[in-house]
Amino acid sequence: MRMSLPAMESRAEVVVDVGAITRNVATLRQRAGVALMAVVKADGYGHGLVEAAAAARSGGADWLGVAVLEEAMALRRAGDTGPLLSWLAVPGEDYPGAVEAGVDVTAYTPRQVDEIAAAARSIGLRARVQLKVDTGLSRGGAGEADWPALVEAAADAEQSGAVQVTGVWSHFACSDEPDHPANDAQEKAFVQALKVVDAVGLEPEVRHLSNSAGTLLRPWSSYDLVRCGIACYGISPAPDVVSSAELGLVPAMTARARLALVKRLPAGAGVSYGHTWVAERDTTLGLVPVGYGDGVLRYGSSTAHVLAAGRQRPVAGRICMDQLVIDLGEDHAEAGDEVVLFGDGADGAPTAQDWAEACGTIAYEVVTRIGGRFVRRHVRR
Ligand SMILES: *Cc1c(COP(=O)(O)O)cnc(C)c1O
């Protein structure tokens, strides 16, 4: 049995159990059997960049991964000195700063290799560069036709001493659908791309392809390193295939608030903007002081549930900017009582995955969006 969360200190708070992140990372790393990169982009998927990173390192994360350089630099400023990869940049980024901080940067084009190499020369250091091949996601990276030129440029830059090619990687489009034919096609393209790298004599430290879903559902695709994001936070990357509980993962985030008001409502009264919800019988409403201005998805209007007064209660009507209304039926509650929007599910509250299903989206969006006036607290259970 896990310890319960500490008492609420604020009107609305997001409580992040860093112990859960640590244990999830340890579970994933053991399962993968190769090195693990914990992806902490987008403020650690809403869990706190620095806190999530530290928790992941404690769980054995060999690498950290972020999207943009500002995230990488924030981790360095917070004292993280380990292997760290960033992968999304525009021309004119602070490459000298990244090189000096020992951050691995990713190149998609020969022009980017040149820019990184020039930055390294300007400060007399060697840049750590990873090459991204687009094997079919059709997002970042060099496509098949452009790959040989990127590899050549990187090999030349390594020869010149300005860069060291530390990794070669790609990213799945459909790894949450293990039977999708794109998965095998992408892996085949990845193997081809690695042959091009071999042929010019580059020997990168790490080759990597899998995100959380790949790690869990295609263990043969792990190569030297897996990049796990959502699973580190205890959420299944492929909820249609396997639940987080079945994976031995525990959701780290709980979003909760205290009731601002409880009152009776007569049958026939409409609730919230547009009166899209109408009381079928006399009932009791609870007013929860959070809304879409705090990242509570408005698509949960009349579809999502929260835990209040001992069981799950439906959101009644539209979620507003600052508040939402729940239907308490005939049960008793009082202003100040705790309402759990979502948590780890162990106490009967909905999970981020439940909210995702109610909102027609993915749990990634539920946890990443939450913020606004929620006070974020980090605890260790
Ligand atoms: C976000 C991201 C990941 C992590 O994906 P999850 O599905 O959260 O595990 C891995 N690699 C790249 C390139 C990403 O952008």
Side-chain angles (χ1 to χ4, degrees), residues 225-294:
L225 177 67
V226 292
R227 301 186 307 272
C228 292
I230 198 72
C232 298
Y233 306 100
I235 293 170
S236 171
D240 295 340
V241 181
V242 63
S243 70
S244 62
E246 286 164 339
L247 294 165
L249 303 172
V250 175
M253 181 187 287
T254 298
R256 61 186 184 174
R258 300 176 66 202
L259 284 173
L261 176 71
V262 176
K263 67 181 178 194
R264 291 291 289 171
L265 191 79
V271 173
S272 192
Y273 294 125
H275 280 180
T276 56
W277 192 93
V278 176
E280 285 174 6
R281 59 188 74 82
D282 291 0
T283 191
T284 301
L285 296 184
L287 182 66
V288 184
V290 289
Y292 62 80
D294 308 294

Side-chain angles (χ1 to χ4, degrees), residues 33-69:
V34 298
L36 181 140
M37 175 187 293
V39 179
V40 293
K41 63 190 180 187
D43 202 18
Y45 289 46
H47 295 68
L49 171 71
V50 169
E51 294 87 352
R57 289 286 195 204
S58 321
D62 307 274
W63 285 76
L64 296 176
V66 293
V68 300
L69 278 181

Side-chain angles (χ1 to χ4, degrees), residues 39 41 45 87 139 169 171 211-212 227-230 364:
V39 179
K41 63 190 180 187
Y45 289 46
W87 51 71
R139 203 173 70 178
W169 64 276
H171 193 43
N211 52 4
S212 294
R227 301 186 307 272
C228 292
I230 198 72
Y364 294 70

